[in-house]
Amino acid sequence: QVQLVESGGDLVQPGGSLRLSCKVSENIFGSNTMGWYRQVPGKARELVARITTGSLTNYVDSVKGRFTISRDTAKTSVYLQMNSLKTDDTGVYYCNTVPGLIIRSRPYWGQGTQVTVSS
């Protein structure tokens, strides 16, 4: 069974912080690079951070120095610490493998978690 369950999104003021969590099924977590993606209406879903099974990380330029991705093997979970949030960070955030999961020939995504940065 595949599980990707995101949580932690909220409404926050510019300059604030949030920590997103993603519970991942064990059969997916252990052998895959994991990533956090951001979806903004009218735009393609964007990979903003990734972490390998060896905990090597990579970020899109717009979040470097502000976001930190991490993974917890014991909890089969992935996290995204988001600091110094900007209005441009607003969107629905999804965790997934990198590249994304394909199940029965179809892309598989969780429900995502909404992050809104606004004063």
Side-chain angles (χ1 to χ4, degrees), residues 36-52:
W36 282 97
Y37 299 75
R38 176 168 64 204
Q39 177 91 66
V40 178
K43 294 187 178 180
R45 202 170 317 204
E46 175 186 33
L47 176 64
V48 297
R50 73 176 79 186
I51 184 167
T52 69

Side-chain angles (χ1 to χ4, degrees), residues 63-106:
V63 309
K64 280 181 181 177
R66 301 187 298 119
F67 290 10
T68 302
I69 188 171
S70 60
R71 61 193 294 160
D72 185 326
T73 301
K75 296 181 179 179
T76 64
S77 293
V78 184
Y79 306 97
L80 188 68
Q81 178 66 43
M82 310 165 69
N83 297 329
S84 302
L85 282 161
K86 304 177 181 180
T87 55
D88 287 348
D89 296 320
T90 295
V92 180
Y93 285 72
Y94 301 85
C95 76
N96 208 324
T97 56
V98 181
L101 286 170
I102 302 293
I103 297 177
R104 298 188 185 93
S105 301
R106 292 187 175 185

